[in-house]
Amino acid sequence: MSKAIIQAGWNDVPHLDDKTRRELAESFPLHEREARMNGVPVLGSGKVFPVAEESIVIAPFALPPHWPRIVGLDFGWDHPAAAAWLAWDRDTDTVYVYDTFRVRETSVAMQAPLIAARGRWMPVAWPHDGLQHDKGSGEQLAGQYRALGVNLLPERATFEDGSNGLEAGISELLTRMQTGRFKVFGTCGDWLEEWRLYHRKDGLIVKIRDDLQSATRYGVMMLRFAVVEPRGSTLGGRSAGYGGRRGGY
């Protein structure tokens, strides 16, 4: 006998108008709103990012060409490999997640074209496990991506002071979300799926299905290396940024 879970929220209830939804939302404590409004389960000891979804999700738009871009990449095999494409509005110091991919049990040779197709000129931020060597070939993981034309940054992702702590990265993202300086295109469904369920247990972040969250964190940590597409670039890839391709577990 098969089972399925169907998630439904207030947007699926046509008889609730905007005024009623707003009044109901304001009547609930902030930490209960996602569960009440969108059917998102309350897990562990609370969400990693306790902010309202509507405060970060926006409709896709054509990204201005003068906004620098960077990609965050999280390596994976059994757990998915994931990448998040970020654009940075320097005037307002706002980061936009505009495209993603998430793939499982997929080789570097298959992932590299997915990254390159979106613009080989964009620098790619990556985590410390890229320094590890493949047990079969003995080749460094980061080197495998570089050999296939992926524009990995010279060094692994760190903050400007050289630190790379998880909680520091989470704090940076949360502060941006709370101050309106972090936005996500509504087409990035896989990213939002992870974000809704990203939670803590006994105060600690549960590192399950967090691949796109990790990729985003690496990109934001290395935001200082984001670049604008060179004029007359021959490095290919679509870069206008309407994004949101779906991968899958």
Side-chain angles (χ1 to χ4, degrees):
M1 184 176 184
S2 61
K3 296 181 180 180
I5 297 175
I6 299 175
Q7 184 175 332
W10 290 357
N11 290 332
D12 302 303
V13 184
H15 67 267
L16 288 178
D17 57 30
D18 290 341
K19 180 175 181 293
T20 302
R21 292 175 189 171
R22 186 168 57 253
E23 290 174 349
L24 285 170
E26 290 173 353
S27 71
F28 299 126
L30 183 60
H31 69 279
E32 293 183 5
R33 289 181 188 175
E34 282 298 302
R36 300 272 193 172
M37 295 170 62
N38 299 316
V40 177
V42 178
L43 302 172
S45 53
K47 291 181 63 174
V48 172
F49 300 118
V51 299
E53 183 171 325
E54 58 266 27
S55 71
I56 66 168
V57 177
I58 60 171
F61 61 92
L63 298 169
H66 65 276
W67 285 7
R69 314 282 187 89
I70 193 168
V71 186
L73 174 64
D74 187 37
F75 304 120
W77 178 259
D78 291 329
H79 75 84
W85 278 259
L86 313 180
W88 182 25
D89 178 359
R90 287 178 291 193
D91 293 334
T92 62
D93 189 24
T94 302
V95 173
Y96 293 80
V97 178
Y98 68 90
D99 201 359
T100 64
F101 86 68
R102 187 179 62 184
V103 290
R104 185 177 179 181
E105 296 183 357
T106 305
S107 68
V108 174
M110 295 181 68
Q111 294 171 30
L114 296 176
I115 299 171
R118 290 154 164 87
R120 291 190 183 96
W121 56 272
M122 291 185 227
V124 178
W126 49 281
H128 62 87
D129 50 349
L131 299 173
Q132 297 175 2
H133 290 75
D134 182 82
K135 293 180 180 179
S137 66
E139 187 179 358
Q140 191 182 73
L141 183 56
Q144 294 179 41
Y145 283 89
R146 290 194 181 100
L148 292 170
V150 178
N151 188 21
L152 262 62
L153 285 164
E155 303 293 336
R156 64 189 177 91
T158 65
F159 287 105
E160 203 158 2
D161 63 2
S163 65
N164 66 343
L166 171 60
E167 288 292 352
I170 293 298
S171 178
E172 169 68 16
L173 287 172
L174 179 57
T175 298
R176 285 184 170 277
M177 292 177 191
Q178 291 174 330
T179 55
R181 295 180 296 119
F182 185 92
K183 303 295 180 181
V184 184
F185 279 15
T187 46
C188 296
D190 286 344
W191 193 99
L192 290 167
E193 175 190 281
E194 285 190 6
W195 182 85
R196 293 178 187 123
L197 300 177
Y198 199 27
H199 68 284
R200 296 178 183 271
K201 184 175 182 180
D202 300 326
L204 300 177
I205 293 173
V206 177
K207 296 288 292 174
I208 298 175
R209 293 198 172 189
D210 63 342
D211 312 286
L212 285 167
Q213 306 307 303
S214 296
T216 302
R217 189 173 75 254
Y218 303 141
V220 171
M221 288 168 66
M222 299 294 272
L223 200 59
R224 62 194 181 276
F225 295 108
V227 301
V228 174
E229 182 175 11
R231 287 184 178 273
S233 172
T234 59
L235 296 178
R238 59 180 177 84
S239 60
Y242 290 93
R245 289 187 178 180
R246 294 183 61 86
Y249 284 98

